Amino acid sequence: MNEPTVNATDIEKPCSFGRHFVGDEGEIYQGDAAEILRQLPPDSVDLLFADPPYNIGKRFANFIDKWPSEAAYADWCATWLEAALRALKPNGSMYVMTSTQAMPYLDIWLRDRVTVKSRIVWHYDSSGVQAKSHFGSLYEPILHCVANAKNYTFNAEAIMVDAKTGSKRKLIDYRKKVPTVYNSKKVPGNAWYFPRVRYRMPEYEKHPSQKPEALLERVILASSNSGDVVLDPFSGTFTTCAVARRLQRRFIGIELQQPYVEVGLRRTGLATHVGGEKLTAPNKSYKRKNGKGT
């Protein structure tokens, strides 16, 4: 059975501050993140996940993420963070990523306005030789913040992981009146291991800093409920939006670059065609020197 054809123009709505695509399960904006965030209704978002450019010189389609100075980058982050907090519900949660160098600026700025519940380390494997003159970086920081420290969503049961003492080592807790094996499940700590997205992985898209679906699944399950609104103001490959849709949350994605907007339209199921051309996933095969693919 052929899937129905949905052209991007069929779902595009009038918008004075960019382009706006709306579907039954979510919506995508194309334009400047801070400007669009300021146009969203206040107190309307349950969960925000922000993975902005890191100010380290990577190319994102037609944009290179390099500011004149760290101070200029911190000022830019303050602009969109202010707008993001305006959109966040009084009981909402926010996860923010940036480079290890820049995170102290964002941490200090945010702790004056919200409660930082956790400082998370996402660590991963190396793809090859690391730095030879210093210790190479194998992690990225994530701040977990809440607008109200006494009223926020945290679904501990939805994100349980194996506890080595109980599930694997079967250690006995003799402190109890009746000695029993330690719990086999626990809430994850603040050091998360998820492999980076590699070429030829099913979820791979052509993007220099794609985040893994497993990481976003943990964030969304922990800090939102079915039917909640999940917002990503720097959507990139739209992993946040795609996972939110799969987990029955309503998504809002914001992205400036047209090629990534097309990725988002495809991954979220909002559209199948743009300009008469079918949206397709990247070809993950490659040719060996003998001409044979794998």
Side-chain angles (χ1 to χ4, degrees):
M1 182 176 179
N2 294 329
E3 65 175 11
T5 298
V6 180
N7 289 292
T9 52
D10 297 336
I11 61 169
E12 187 168 1
K13 304 298 180 183
C15 182
S16 60
F17 47 89
R19 302 184 72 185
H20 188 200
F21 304 93
V22 181
D24 293 336
E25 299 166 296
E27 51 196 305
I28 290 174
Y29 290 90
Q30 182 178 359
D32 179 77
E35 181 180 0
I36 292 171
L37 284 168
R38 284 192 287 265
Q39 306 301 322
L40 296 180
D43 305 333
S44 60
V45 172
D46 298 282
L47 170 62
L48 185 146
F49 181 88
D51 179 24
Y54 281 11
N55 191 33
I56 56 176
K58 285 189 176 182
R59 176 179 288 277
F60 297 87
N62 296 319
F63 171 74
I64 297 177
D65 78 329
K66 194 64 180 174
W67 276 254
S69 65
E70 287 188 340
Y73 177 73
D75 288 343
W76 173 75
C77 286
T79 299
W80 64 259
L81 280 168
E82 193 76 61
L85 289 177
R86 172 186 169 276
L88 198 65
K89 288 183 179 180
N91 64 340
S93 301
M94 171 189 288
Y95 290 75
V96 180
M97 300 188 69
T98 190
S99 66
T100 55
Q101 304 94 313
M103 184 56 87
Y105 295 103
L106 274 61
D107 192 320
I108 292 171
W109 190 94
L110 281 165
R111 73 176 77 162
D112 287 336
R113 294 161 176 84
V114 293
T115 299
V116 179
K117 295 296 295 184
S118 297
R119 292 172 176 85
I120 299 164
V121 169
W122 167 41
H123 65 108
Y124 39 72
D125 56 316
S126 171
S127 59
V129 177
Q130 283 288 299
K132 295 183 178 180
S133 60
H134 60 280
F135 299 108
S137 180
L138 291 173
Y139 81 95
E140 294 175 33
I142 307 172
L143 292 182
H144 170 210
C145 311
V146 296
N148 186 330
K150 295 182 179 180
N151 181 20
Y152 63 95
T153 297
F154 192 77
N155 301 311
E157 292 296 325
I159 57 168
M160 291 288 191
V161 296
D162 285 342
K164 292 183 179 180
T165 51
S167 65
K168 296 181 179 180
R169 298 173 66 191
K170 305 295 184 183
L171 296 184
I172 305 298
D173 186 354
Y174 290 101
R175 297 170 297 178
K176 293 184 177 180
K177 188 174 182 179
V178 178
T180 56
V181 176
Y182 280 89
N183 290 336
S184 61
K185 298 288 183 180
K186 66 177 182 179
V187 174
N190 65 349
W192 299 358
Y193 175 80
F194 293 108
R196 285 186 291 182
V197 180
R198 305 290 192 186
Y199 182 68
R200 300 187 75 199
M201 290 175 64
E203 63 187 272
Y204 170 81
E205 301 287 344
K206 294 179 180 179
H207 190 277
S209 62
Q210 182 177 354
K211 299 304 182 289
E213 290 186 7
L215 187 153
L216 270 302
E217 183 173 296
R218 177 173 292 176
V219 167
I220 292 170
L221 286 174
S223 296
S224 70
N225 298 305
S226 179
D228 280 356
V229 176
V230 178
L231 167 65
D232 187 337
F234 304 95
S235 289
T237 59
F238 286 79
T239 298
T240 303
C241 296
V243 174
R245 174 178 179 254
R246 171 162 58 82
L247 297 176
Q248 300 180 326
R249 277 71 166 165
R250 183 169 181 82
F251 63 85
I252 301 175
I254 303 172
E255 174 56 46
L256 183 61
Q257 300 296 321
Q258 176 66 24
Y260 303 141
V261 171
E262 293 181 6
V263 170
L265 291 169
R266 169 174 54 82
R267 288 190 77 188
T268 62
L270 286 188
T272 59
H273 289 70
V274 169
E277 296 291 328
K278 185 175 181 180
L279 296 169
T280 58
N283 184 353
K284 300 179 180 69
S285 64
Y286 67 93
K287 290 184 178 181
R288 294 178 175 174
K289 291 182 179 180
N290 62 9
K292 296 181 179 180
T294 60

